[in-house]
Amino acid sequence: MHAFCAAAAFAQLLLLNHGGLFADEPAGLRAALDALDAEQRTLVVLRDIEHLSYEELQRVCDLPIGTVKSRLHRARMALHRHFSALQEGPS
């Protein structure tokens, strides 16, 4: 199995095992994570929930560290847009 596929499977397992992730989970976090593509969701879960270092992500996902950082940034921006839209409400 390709390293990134293994990382994605691991991230999905973590989400399933955490159930609601945490008791103080922000409203809509699960929906926001589900809206990300598999690669983005994997990076966010492994970095921001499981606290893997960038170097660990590089190894686990078999990606250059610059790619890890830029893709993680894009994923976080997508989450930001998701929550901003929720805050603004329906147009």
Side-chain angles (χ1 to χ4, degrees), residues 6-74:
F10 179 68
Q12 189 62 33
L13 180 64
L14 289 171
L15 283 174
L16 292 172
N17 286 340
H18 279 300
L21 293 177
F22 303 103
D24 59 348
E25 172 185 321
L29 177 59
R30 183 57 185 252
L33 288 171
D34 287 343
L36 298 174
D37 66 40
E39 182 178 68
Q40 290 178 327
R41 184 171 45 255
T42 297
L43 291 170
V44 168
V45 168
L46 295 179
R47 175 69 181 151
D48 296 332
I49 297 173
E50 292 301 316
H51 307 289
L52 269 64
S53 69
Y54 290 111
E55 292 76 16
E56 289 170 318
L57 283 173
Q58 175 187 12
R59 285 192 306 275
V60 168
C61 297
D62 194 27
L63 295 169
I65 199 158
T67 302
V68 167
K69 289 179 178 181
S70 65
R71 290 182 184 175
L72 187 56
H73 174 74
R74 285 189 209 110

Side-chain angles (χ1 to χ4, degrees), residues 74-89:
R74 285 189 209 110
R76 288 173 174 157
M77 292 305 298
L79 289 173
H80 176 75
R81 285 190 302 274
H82 177 87
F83 286 111
S84 292
L86 288 177
Q87 231 174 9
E88 292 171 7

